[in-house]
Amino acid sequence: MSAQKKILFVFTSANTNLLGNPTGWYLPEAAHPYYVLAPTHNITFASPAGANPPLDPFSVEQFKEDEESQKFLGDADVKKMLAEAKKLTDIDPDDYDAIFYPGGPTAAVCHGPGAFAKATDSNNVSIFKGRRATGFSNLEEELFKMVKAIPFLLEDNIKFNEGAYEKAAEPWAEHVVVDGNLITGQNPASARAIGQALLRALR
Protein backbone atom coordinates (compact mmCIF):
# COMPACT_ATOMS: atom_id res chain seq x y z
CA MET A 1 0.00 0.00 0.00
CA SER A 2 1.42 3.38 -0.97
CA ALA A 3 2.05 6.04 1.66
CA GLN A 4 -0.66 8.59 2.26
CA LYS A 5 -0.22 11.84 0.37
CA LYS A 6 0.47 14.86 2.56
CA ILE A 7 -1.62 18.03 2.67
CA LEU A 8 -0.70 21.23 4.51
CA PHE A 9 -3.63 23.25 5.86
CA VAL A 10 -2.49 26.87 6.28
CA PHE A 11 -4.58 28.91 8.73
CA THR A 12 -4.49 32.68 9.20
CA SER A 13 -2.86 34.16 12.29
CA ALA A 14 -4.80 37.45 11.98
CA ASN A 15 -7.19 37.89 14.88
CA THR A 16 -8.62 41.33 14.01
CA ASN A 17 -9.68 42.95 10.75
CA LEU A 18 -8.95 46.52 9.61
CA LEU A 19 -11.86 47.81 11.72
CA GLY A 20 -10.51 46.14 14.85
CA ASN A 21 -13.21 43.48 14.96
CA PRO A 22 -12.32 39.88 15.85
CA THR A 23 -11.59 37.56 12.95
CA GLY A 24 -9.65 34.38 12.20
CA TRP A 25 -10.04 31.20 10.16
CA TYR A 26 -13.59 30.40 9.16
CA LEU A 27 -14.90 27.22 10.77
CA PRO A 28 -16.69 25.36 7.92
CA GLU A 29 -13.96 26.26 5.43
CA ALA A 30 -11.57 24.10 7.45
CA ALA A 31 -14.01 21.52 8.81
CA HIS A 32 -15.69 20.42 5.58
CA PRO A 33 -12.52 19.88 3.52
CA TYR A 34 -10.81 18.26 6.52
CA TYR A 35 -13.40 15.51 6.80
CA VAL A 36 -13.33 14.91 3.05
CA LEU A 37 -9.54 14.54 3.05
CA ALA A 38 -8.50 13.23 6.48
CA PRO A 39 -9.61 9.60 6.00
CA THR A 40 -7.15 9.07 3.13
CA HIS A 41 -4.49 11.76 3.54
CA ASN A 42 -1.89 12.87 6.07
CA ILE A 43 -2.83 16.43 7.11
CA THR A 44 -0.60 18.94 8.90
CA PHE A 45 -1.77 22.30 10.28
CA ALA A 46 0.34 25.47 10.07
CA SER A 47 -0.01 29.24 10.34
CA PRO A 48 2.32 32.23 10.16
CA ALA A 49 2.49 32.42 13.97
CA GLY A 50 2.29 28.70 14.65
CA ALA A 51 0.22 27.13 17.41
CA ASN A 52 -3.44 27.89 18.07
CA PRO A 53 -4.39 30.02 15.05
CA PRO A 54 -7.38 32.22 15.93
CA LEU A 55 -10.86 31.03 15.03
CA ASP A 56 -13.39 33.57 13.74
CA PRO A 57 -16.01 33.71 16.53
CA PHE A 58 -18.73 34.76 14.08
CA SER A 59 -18.24 31.55 12.11
CA VAL A 60 -18.74 29.49 15.28
CA GLU A 61 -22.07 31.20 15.93
CA GLN A 62 -23.17 31.14 12.30
CA PHE A 63 -22.47 27.41 11.92
CA LYS A 64 -23.59 26.18 15.35
CA GLU A 65 -26.14 23.90 13.64
CA ASP A 66 -23.62 22.54 11.11
CA GLU A 67 -22.80 18.97 12.13
CA GLU A 68 -19.29 18.78 10.68
CA SER A 69 -18.31 22.21 12.03
CA GLN A 70 -19.37 21.20 15.53
CA LYS A 71 -17.60 17.84 15.16
CA PHE A 72 -14.42 19.70 14.15
CA LEU A 73 -14.61 21.90 17.27
CA GLY A 74 -14.86 18.88 19.55
CA ASP A 75 -12.49 16.58 17.68
CA ALA A 76 -9.58 15.63 19.95
CA ASP A 77 -7.24 15.04 16.99
CA VAL A 78 -8.09 18.44 15.51
CA LYS A 79 -7.58 20.20 18.86
CA LYS A 80 -4.13 18.61 19.16
CA MET A 81 -3.23 19.57 15.59
CA LEU A 82 -4.28 23.19 16.17
CA ALA A 83 -2.38 23.35 19.46
CA GLU A 84 0.70 22.01 17.68
CA ALA A 85 0.29 23.91 14.39
CA LYS A 86 3.67 24.59 12.84
CA LYS A 87 5.09 28.00 12.00
CA LEU A 88 5.22 28.61 8.26
CA THR A 89 8.90 29.50 8.58
CA ASP A 90 9.51 25.92 9.76
CA ILE A 91 7.70 24.39 6.78
CA ASP A 92 9.24 23.13 3.54
CA PRO A 93 6.41 23.25 0.99
CA ASP A 94 8.18 20.60 -1.07
CA ASP A 95 7.35 18.11 1.69
CA TYR A 96 3.66 18.30 0.76
CA ASP A 97 1.61 17.08 -2.16
CA ALA A 98 -0.90 19.94 -1.75
CA ILE A 99 -1.33 23.15 0.22
CA PHE A 100 -4.81 24.25 1.28
CA TYR A 101 -5.78 27.69 2.57
CA PRO A 102 -9.16 27.68 4.43
CA GLY A 103 -10.90 31.35 4.31
CA GLY A 104 -3.45 24.56 -2.05
CA PRO A 105 -2.05 20.92 -6.24
CA THR A 106 -2.82 24.34 -4.47
CA ALA A 107 -6.32 24.98 -3.17
CA ALA A 108 -8.06 27.81 -1.36
CA VAL A 109 -11.64 28.73 -0.47
CA CYS A 110 -13.50 32.01 0.12
CA HIS A 111 -10.85 34.57 1.29
CA GLY A 112 -8.16 31.87 1.15
CA PRO A 113 -7.16 32.74 -2.44
CA GLY A 114 -6.04 36.09 -0.99
CA ALA A 115 -2.93 34.19 0.12
CA PHE A 116 -2.00 34.10 -3.57
CA ALA A 117 -2.45 37.84 -4.11
CA LYS A 118 1.29 38.39 -4.58
CA ALA A 119 2.27 34.81 -5.38
CA THR A 120 4.31 34.38 -8.54
CA ASP A 121 5.67 31.46 -10.53
CA SER A 122 9.33 30.78 -11.34
CA ASN A 123 9.18 33.51 -14.00
CA ASN A 124 7.93 36.08 -11.47
CA VAL A 125 4.47 36.10 -13.09
CA SER A 126 1.30 36.13 -10.97
CA ILE A 127 -0.09 32.63 -10.54
CA PHE A 128 -3.49 34.07 -11.51
CA LYS A 129 -2.34 35.37 -14.90
CA GLY A 130 -4.17 33.60 -17.69
CA ARG A 131 -5.85 31.20 -15.28
CA ARG A 132 -9.41 30.71 -14.12
CA ALA A 133 -10.04 31.30 -10.42
CA THR A 134 -12.69 32.27 -7.91
CA GLY A 135 -12.95 33.56 -4.35
CA PHE A 136 -15.30 35.73 -2.29
CA SER A 137 -16.97 38.08 -4.77
CA ASN A 138 -17.22 41.85 -4.50
CA LEU A 139 -20.99 41.52 -4.13
CA GLU A 140 -20.61 39.02 -1.29
CA GLU A 141 -18.20 41.41 0.46
CA GLU A 142 -20.76 44.19 0.12
CA LEU A 143 -23.62 42.03 1.38
CA PHE A 144 -21.43 40.84 4.27
CA LYS A 145 -20.53 44.50 4.99
CA MET A 146 -16.81 43.69 4.95
CA VAL A 147 -15.47 45.98 2.21
CA LYS A 148 -13.87 48.41 4.70
CA ALA A 149 -12.64 45.63 6.99
CA ILE A 150 -10.29 43.94 4.52
CA PRO A 151 -7.11 45.15 2.77
CA PHE A 152 -8.31 44.38 -0.78
CA LEU A 153 -11.18 42.85 -2.72
CA LEU A 154 -10.25 39.40 -3.95
CA GLU A 155 -12.31 39.57 -7.15
CA ASP A 156 -10.53 42.81 -8.09
CA ASN A 157 -7.13 41.34 -7.23
CA ILE A 158 -7.59 38.29 -9.44
CA LYS A 159 -8.67 40.53 -12.33
CA PHE A 160 -5.80 42.97 -11.68
CA ASN A 161 -3.39 40.05 -11.95
CA GLU A 162 -4.94 39.15 -15.32
CA GLY A 163 -6.78 36.12 -14.01
CA ALA A 164 -10.19 35.06 -15.34
CA TYR A 165 -12.40 35.55 -12.30
CA GLU A 166 -15.50 33.34 -12.16
CA LYS A 167 -18.40 33.24 -9.70
CA ALA A 168 -21.72 31.53 -9.11
CA ALA A 169 -24.85 33.01 -10.66
CA GLU A 170 -26.10 33.99 -7.19
CA PRO A 171 -24.25 35.16 -4.05
CA TRP A 172 -23.48 32.46 -1.45
CA ALA A 173 -23.95 29.61 -3.97
CA GLU A 174 -21.38 26.83 -4.25
CA HIS A 175 -18.75 27.41 -6.92
CA VAL A 176 -15.36 25.74 -7.39
CA VAL A 177 -12.90 26.39 -10.20
CA VAL A 178 -10.15 23.95 -11.16
CA ASP A 179 -7.42 25.22 -13.48
CA GLY A 180 -4.52 22.81 -13.52
CA ASN A 181 -3.09 22.63 -10.01
CA LEU A 182 -4.85 25.82 -8.88
CA ILE A 183 -8.14 24.95 -7.16
CA THR A 184 -10.27 27.76 -5.74
CA GLY A 185 -13.67 27.95 -4.04
CA GLN A 186 -15.87 31.03 -3.88
CA ASN A 187 -17.35 31.01 -0.38
CA PRO A 188 -18.18 28.87 2.69
CA ALA A 189 -20.81 26.96 0.69
CA SER A 190 -17.95 25.76 -1.55
CA ALA A 191 -15.84 24.28 1.25
CA ARG A 192 -16.91 20.65 0.93
CA ALA A 193 -16.80 20.80 -2.87
CA ILE A 194 -13.26 22.16 -2.87
CA GLY A 195 -12.21 19.34 -0.56
CA GLN A 196 -13.68 16.89 -3.06
CA ALA A 197 -11.93 18.64 -5.96
CA LEU A 198 -8.62 18.44 -4.13
CA LEU A 199 -9.25 14.77 -3.36
CA ARG A 200 -9.77 14.06 -7.07
CA ALA A 201 -6.65 16.03 -8.01
CA LEU A 202 -4.48 13.96 -5.66
CA ARG A 203 -5.62 10.57 -6.98
Side-chain angles (χ1 to χ4, degrees), residues 20-40:
N21 298 320
T23 191
W25 55 272
Y26 211 71
L27 179 56
E29 294 170 13
H32 292 181
Y34 177 82
Y35 288 116
V36 170
L37 299 163
T40 54

Side-chain angles (χ1 to χ4, degrees), residues 26 28-29 32 62-63 109-110 136 172 186-192:
Y26 211 71
E29 294 170 13
H32 292 181
Q62 191 174 28
F63 289 86
V109 67
C110 195
F136 217 50
W172 318 119
Q186 183 175 329
N187 48 36
S190 309
R192 184 174 289 105

Side-chain angles (χ1 to χ4, degrees), residues 98-102 104-109 112-113 116 181-185 194 198:
I99 300 173
F100 175 71
Y101 294 85
T106 303
V109 67
F116 310 143
N181 63 358
L182 179 64
I183 305 170
T184 49
I194 198 173
L198 184 53

Side-chain angles (χ1 to χ4, degrees), residues 17-196:
N17 61 30
L18 295 181
L19 299 179
N21 298 320
T23 191
W25 55 272
Y26 211 71
L27 179 56
E29 294 170 13
H32 292 181
Y34 177 82
Y35 288 116
V36 170
L37 299 163
T40 54
H41 292 77
N42 183 333
I43 296 176
T44 299
F45 289 174
S47 77
N52 298 306
L55 170 60
D56 186 325
F58 179 75
S59 71
V60 176
E61 176 62 25
Q62 191 174 28
F63 289 86
K64 62 185 177 184
E65 304 299 329
D66 182 76
E67 184 177 338
E68 281 193 337
S69 291
Q70 294 310 304
K71 178 182 175 182
F72 194 80
L73 286 176
D75 190 315
D77 290 336
V78 169
K79 288 181 178 180
K80 185 173 188 294
M81 291 167 71
L82 287 168
E84 297 174 354
K86 297 182 177 183
K87 279 183 136 179
L88 283 183
T89 52
D90 297 331
I91 292 288
D92 181 352
D94 290 336
D95 289 341
Y96 298 89
D97 297 287
I99 300 173
F100 175 71
Y101 294 85
T106 303
V109 67
C110 195
H111 290 93
F116 310 143
K118 295 183 179 179
T120 58
D121 63 17
S122 57
N123 296 315
N124 205 33
V125 174
S126 169
I127 65 167
F128 287 127
K129 185 172 182 177
R131 302 178 84 176
R132 298 163 48 245
T134 190
F136 217 50
S137 69
N138 289 355
L139 178 57
E140 286 168 326
E141 296 287 14
E142 291 165 10
L143 294 171
F144 211 49
K145 304 190 185 321
M146 290 296 288
V147 173
K148 293 183 178 178
I150 55 176
F152 59 88
L153 296 173
L154 188 50
E155 178 179 339
D156 288 351
N157 181 269
I158 292 171
K159 292 175 179 176
F160 175 79
N161 283 299
E162 299 180 60
Y165 177 82
E166 299 180 5
K167 62 183 175 183
E170 298 294 333
W172 318 119
E174 176 186 308
H175 190 68
V176 171
V177 175
V178 178
D179 190 327
N181 63 358
L182 179 64
I183 305 170
T184 49
Q186 183 175 329
N187 48 36
S190 309
R192 184 174 289 105
I194 198 173
Q196 293 166 341

